[in-house]
Amino acid sequence: MRIGFIGLGKMGSAMARNLLRAGHQVAAYNRSREKAEALASEGARAADSPADACRDSQAVMTMLADDRAVEQIVFGENGVASALAGGAVHISSSTIGTALARRLAAEHALRGQGYLSAPVFGRPEAAQSRKLIVVVAGPSELVELCRPLFDAIGRQTSVAGAEPWQANAVKLCGNFMLASMIESFGEAYATLRKADVDPHVFLEIVNSLFASPVYGNYGRIIADEQFSPAGFALKLGLKDMRLALETAEECAAPMPLASLIRDHFLSAMAQGQAELDWSSMARVLARNAGL
Ligand code: NAP
């Protein structure tokens, strides 16, 4: 397919590269142009603006930091909304709020354009090795049309529903589960360190009890305090807890644990951890224990 790809950060650059490798034509745009030029050496066309990335594209995929960035890229000057052809599809893979997903679906529909939410699970290494889990929601004919793109970037595609924002709700609840795991590792490790037990010994038992690569990976990162360079920046983790709470409020479903974790991410931000990996939130629990 002919694809525009916008947002070549840690995740987007790997996803766009895998689309190229799968044989799709990619016009790539990034706010800082050098990242688009790096991809041009691998066969992409470096686009000059979001609108230029949409030119002749059957689909445009966005992988941007947050709601604000998506709004600027879609509705700003030379944005996606004004340039995407009628019948072409915007696939939004950024982790954004459910309210913005509903607005995107409505605005694209007004212009005769399609819209899918397709957020992903997996860190940059998973994006590089095509092991992302893609959660998609939207009209089924658009999901089927775009399935080859999801196959090119991930190992699994799950369809969350016919309303695009449902995929964003799934993504936010998934990140809430991951953040809950970071919270519990932080609390358990702090207690065990005070009890003079090596967290690595505890991790052996956790790996046996839970047998989950996610527990294994985060358990090791937190035990080794290997928080830099960040795979997923803590400031983005805070954004996701805020968005999860917004969705919970829309659905009138309290998430008291998400509120607690949001505050722990805020404490970590206040301690200068914005650019560290989000698992460094465990340091808040260690500090609370006097460590
Ligand atoms: P990142 O490396 O910080 O990349 C962010 C991208 O957004 C960059 O291309 C950046 O452009 C662009 N951007 C930021 N603000 C912008 C603005 N105002 N206007 C235009 N472009 C803007 O982040 P990432 O880790 O790839 O994450 C991207 C998205 O995926 C986020 O929504 C994140 O929550 C989600 N996600 C991340 C992970 C992960 O493990 N990292 C996993 C799953 C989902 P510049 O290059 O010019 O700064």
Side-chain angles (χ1 to χ4, degrees):
M1 285 173 81
R2 294 184 308 279
I3 304 154
F5 199 103
I6 302 178
L8 303 168
K10 286 191 269 295
M11 296 293 290
S13 54
M15 291 159 69
R17 189 167 290 118
N18 282 331
L19 289 167
L20 278 171
R21 285 181 184 153
H24 299 287
Q25 289 174 42
V26 178
Y29 172 78
N30 195 65
R31 178 178 61 176
S32 346
R33 192 179 160 86
E34 65 275 5
K35 292 182 191 167
E37 275 159 8
L39 214 60
S41 64
E42 297 177 50
R45 173 171 74 80
D48 294 327
S49 64
D52 185 31
C54 293
R55 182 158 53 88
D56 298 329
S57 291
Q58 297 159 283
V60 65
M61 210 160 191
T62 50
M63 191 53 169
L64 297 153
D66 53 18
D67 281 32
R68 203 172 123 256
V70 173
E71 283 174 327
Q72 283 174 357
I73 290 289
V74 176
F75 301 116
E77 203 181 331
N78 285 322
V80 168
S82 62
L84 195 63
V89 192
H90 174 196
I91 303 165
S92 167
S93 288
S94 321
T95 307
I96 56 169
T98 43
L100 178 56
R102 284 191 292 273
R103 181 176 170 217
L104 288 166
E107 294 279 353
H108 283 302
L110 277 178
R111 295 165 174 82
Q113 301 154 344
Y115 174 74
L116 292 174
S117 281
V120 298
F121 286 102
R123 287 164 64 91
E125 312 85 70
Q128 283 153 23
S129 52
R130 251 182 86 178
K131 288 197 179 126
L132 295 174
I133 298 170
V134 183
V135 187
V136 60
S140 56
E141 65 280 9
L142 291 187
V143 172
E144 290 318 312
L145 179 75
C146 298
R147 198 175 276 279
L149 306 181
F150 307 138
D151 291 345
I153 60 168
R155 65 179 155 98
Q156 177 186 323
T157 300
S158 295
V159 181
E163 295 292 335
W165 67 271
Q166 292 174 304
N168 302 93
V170 170
K171 171 64 189 169
L172 293 170
C173 286
N175 272 17
F176 159 69
M177 299 282 288
L178 293 171
S180 306
M181 176 195 61
I182 294 170
E183 170 77 26
S184 33
F185 267 123
E187 292 184 19
Y189 281 1
T191 299
L192 289 169
R193 283 168 65 194
K194 297 290 292 279
D196 269 340
V197 177
D198 182 348
H200 295 89
V201 174
F202 178 67
L203 181 59
E204 277 172 30
I205 296 151
V206 169
N207 279 337
S208 185
L209 270 179
F210 292 91
S212 153
V214 170
Y215 269 80
N217 193 27
Y218 276 104
R220 182 188 46 73
I221 291 173
I222 298 170
D224 294 347
E225 301 196 59
Q226 228 181 45
F227 302 132
S228 181
F232 182 50
L234 189 133
K235 63 181 181 194
L236 295 181
L238 171 62
K239 165 211 50 140
D240 290 356
M241 285 312 96
R242 200 185 60 239
L243 294 175
L245 286 166
E246 282 174 18
T247 302
E249 191 168 339
E250 282 168 18
C251 297
M255 293 178 79
L257 187 52
S259 300
L260 174 84
I261 293 169
R262 193 263 324 268
D263 281 359
H264 286 164
F265 278 124
L266 262 183
S267 298
M269 291 284 287
Q271 298 283 338
Q273 293 172 224
E275 302 299 336
L276 295 185
D277 195 75
W278 71 326
S279 54
S280 72
M281 184 264 271
R283 276 192 183 160
V284 172
L285 288 322
R287 277 194 292 267
N288 285 351
L291 289 161

